[in-house]
Amino acid sequence: MIQSTDLPDTGKAYVQTLHDPLFAKKQIGVDVLRLDKIHTIVSGNKWFKLKLYLQDASKQQKKGIITFGGAYSNHLIATAYICSCTGLVAIGIIRGEEPAVYSPTLLDVQSYGMKLQFVSRQQYHDESFIAQLKQSYPDFLLVDEGGRGEAGIKGAEEILHLTAFHHYTHVICAVGTGTMMAGIINSSLPRQQVIGIPVLKLVDGGSKKVSDYINENSSSKNFELHYDFHFGGYAKKSNELIDFMNQFYNQHAIPTDFVYTGKLFYAATKLIKNGFFKPGAKILLIHSGGLQGNRSLPEELLHFSY
Ligand SMILES: *Cc1c(COP(=O)(O)O)cnc(C)c1O
């Protein structure tokens, strides 16, 4: 078992009801599950997705974990921090050339003791490179980017159980790999619809890949993906998105990140506005954390700190 006093505390997650004249007029209830509150450093959903990998590493008596991510990755920061708490060695394979100036995220993961290896984008996605890594580090557990995979999905099945989730007709979450969403679907009731908002622009069969992955890994087909809220692609943004995030914070005192949850809350508001939900719907939105990613933005853009 993993033991440390400074790991995330899922007991700190809570449900916040959103009060908004639009929702009232449409007779729709909207609650937010604040997974961003479980820890100051480890981003909301990443803890759930990592948990069982850590148990696997400990069961298999591995020395540490090798995993993958970009320069602002929530997954890398969560992995690096948790490994430092639990005595595991962390190796981060970073997508792209080594930058002259490290991002705040890279500086943080390094300060938590993660060893960094920068690889070209081509190599990053190359299967023979991954095979070679496995061979070079037999004492390490290899965890896919973002905690993608079976253990990640199993871990995410815990999320809905933090709430009285049978109250809800719909659950909406942001989608990167789809790992969290698959876990949420698996723990939802057959009458509940789970709606995913992909934050990437999924071209060249990408949308099929994500929906296939979710389909193959979830027990219910009662889910839907809405592909129109990526704002140009992964970590892309517009003034409209930033304005929305500021206004959302002013109204509800909920900070969001521009990569995942900003797009999620924007999408949910739009869908409600457009009459997507019938009166009487009760919606649970998953605030999956990730606020540290806002450190890649110019400081003055957001009117809240994170
Ligand atoms: C990683 C991440 C997601 C996406 O999770 P997937 O399981 O990869 O779909 C959503 N929200 C936040 C804040 C994240 O950091």
Side-chain angles (χ1 to χ4, degrees):
M1 272 317 286
I2 316 151
Q3 276 175 350
S4 165
T5 49
D6 201 25
L7 289 173
D9 177 1
T10 57
K12 287 187 178 160
Y14 59 85
V15 166
Q16 179 176 345
T17 298
L18 300 187
H19 300 284
D20 185 306
L22 169 72
F23 306 162
K25 191 175 129 219
K26 299 270 186 188
Q27 296 174 49
I28 287 169
V30 184
D31 285 354
V32 177
L33 177 59
R34 299 289 305 270
L35 296 184
D36 57 316
K37 292 292 188 184
I38 64 172
H39 196 267
T40 49
I41 294 166
V42 180
S43 165
N45 77 349
K46 297 298 182 282
W47 167 241
F48 297 91
K49 294 202 289 174
L50 272 170
K51 236 173 168 170
L52 299 183
Y53 287 110
L54 292 161
Q55 279 183 16
D56 285 349
S58 133
K59 265 190 228 149
Q60 297 169 29
Q61 303 191 328
K62 299 284 191 191
K63 250 208 259 177
I65 284 179
I66 303 186
T67 195
F68 307 82
Y72 287 91
S73 164
N74 296 327
H75 168 69
L76 281 185
I77 214 160
T79 307
Y81 186 81
I82 291 168
C83 283
S84 79
C85 292
T86 53
L88 287 164
V89 179
I91 299 177
I93 308 297
I94 316 297
R95 185 179 57 228
E97 302 302 322
E98 180 171 8
V101 179
Y102 278 21
S103 66
T105 308
L106 290 180
L107 291 173
D108 281 352
V109 299
Q110 207 173 36
S111 78
Y112 305 142
M114 182 178 254
K115 296 182 176 61
L116 304 184
Q117 186 182 336
F118 294 86
V119 303
S120 69
R121 276 156 203 276
Q122 189 193 345
Q123 205 174 18
Y124 188 87
H125 296 289
D126 179 23
E127 277 179 29
S128 66
F129 170 66
I130 309 290
Q132 195 192 325
L133 268 180
K134 279 190 188 158
Q135 227 172 30
S136 316
Y137 296 100
D139 297 341
F140 283 71
L141 183 74
L142 201 122
V143 176
D144 272 353
E145 187 173 37
R148 187 181 198 272
E150 220 170 288
I153 293 169
K154 267 241 139 332
E157 289 175 8
E158 195 189 318
I159 291 173
L160 280 191
H161 292 282
L162 299 175
T163 72
F165 69 94
H166 51 272
H167 286 326
Y168 300 100
T169 56
H170 300 80
V171 181
I172 316 183
C173 66
V175 170
T177 63
T179 302
M180 169 174 62
M181 182 168 174
I184 288 175
I185 295 168
N186 287 343
S187 50
S188 67
L189 304 172
R191 61 175 165 79
Q192 295 176 313
Q193 187 179 45
V194 181
I195 296 175
I197 309 299
V199 301
L200 297 93
K201 186 174 178 177
L202 296 168
V203 291
D204 297 339
S207 58
K208 187 167 158 27
K209 258 196 220 153
V210 172
S211 66
D212 282 355
Y213 173 71
I214 295 171
N215 240 318
E216 284 157 16
N217 288 288
S218 55
S219 52
S220 157
K221 301 291 163 263
N222 197 5
F223 73 86
E224 228 172 69
L225 291 155
H226 289 256
Y227 297 102
D228 302 332
F229 300 105
H230 55 72
F231 287 86
Y234 184 73
K236 296 278 195 296
K237 60 181 188 307
S238 68
N239 292 338
E240 193 185 358
L241 178 64
I242 299 293
D243 289 347
F244 172 82
M245 289 166 62
N246 282 325
Q247 179 260 320
F248 191 79
Y249 181 79
N250 291 342
Q251 195 175 351
H252 304 294
I254 300 179
T256 52
D257 77 295
F258 78 102
V259 182
Y260 294 101
T261 56
K263 293 178 184 180
L264 163 72
F265 290 116
Y266 179 96
T269 307
K270 236 339 181 254
L271 289 171
I272 294 170
K273 205 177 259 172
N274 294 346
F276 181 82
F277 300 100
K278 293 201 184 87
K282 274 206 74 81
I283 302 171
L284 181 68
L285 303 174
I286 309 295
H287 192 317
S288 39
L291 299 171
Q292 68 90 28
N294 285 341
R295 296 186 293 180
S296 71
L297 297 175
E299 239 170 66
E300 64 284 358
L301 275 190
L302 294 175
H303 302 163
F304 51 90
S305 52
Y306 29 86

